[in-house]
Amino acid sequence: MTNYKKTKDSVSIESQQEAMKIAKAAQKPAQTKEQTKLIAQGIEKGIALYKKQQKEKAREADKQKKKTQRTKQNNVKLSDIEDKQAQQEYINNESNKALPWLLLAVSWAAFIYYTVLGF
């Protein structure tokens, strides 16, 4: 079984060039090339760390955005369900109001029919 270990993050060529440019711009007259190279490496690490932090922030922002979208969708779904339930209750109440009066009218009609015809 072989273990695949992630190698050290390689810094892009653009980042290396930018770091070297910054290091040379800040170079002091008595500074050696080796010291400048070490400063450039430190700057590269700083750039890599900054990029990593920005990626994490963007990832967190995306997660938060997706979470709020899901909550909004859930709220919309819940409000739709509540609206449908309220409409159904209203319809049920309206139809239930007419039913007792209809039964009363039918019973009176049956009573009158029975008394008049004498069946």
Side-chain angles (χ1 to χ4, degrees), residues 10 22 29 33 41 45 57 65 71 73 76 79 94 104:
S10 60
I22 294 170
K33 286 186 177 182
Q41 287 176 350
K45 287 181 183 179
K57 285 181 183 179
K65 182 179 175 183
T71 354
Q73 287 176 347
V76 167
S79 66
E94 290 300 313
L104 180 65

Side-chain angles (χ1 to χ4, degrees), residues 47-99:
I47 291 172
L49 180 63
Y50 175 78
K51 287 181 178 180
K52 183 178 178 182
Q53 289 172 346
Q54 293 304 311
K55 284 181 183 178
E56 288 176 8
K57 285 181 183 179
R59 196 176 305 121
E60 287 298 320
D62 286 343
K63 284 181 184 179
Q64 187 66 29
K65 182 179 175 183
K66 286 181 182 179
K67 186 177 180 180
T68 54
Q69 286 176 345
R70 276 190 238 121
T71 354
K72 285 181 181 178
Q73 287 176 347
N74 288 342
N75 288 342
V76 167
K77 287 179 183 178
L78 287 176
S79 66
D80 286 347
I81 290 171
E82 289 173 354
D83 289 343
K84 288 179 182 178
Q85 287 176 347
Q87 288 175 352
Q88 189 63 35
E89 287 176 10
Y90 178 76
I91 291 169
N92 288 342
N93 287 341
E94 290 300 313
S95 64
N96 287 343
K97 288 180 182 178
L99 182 63

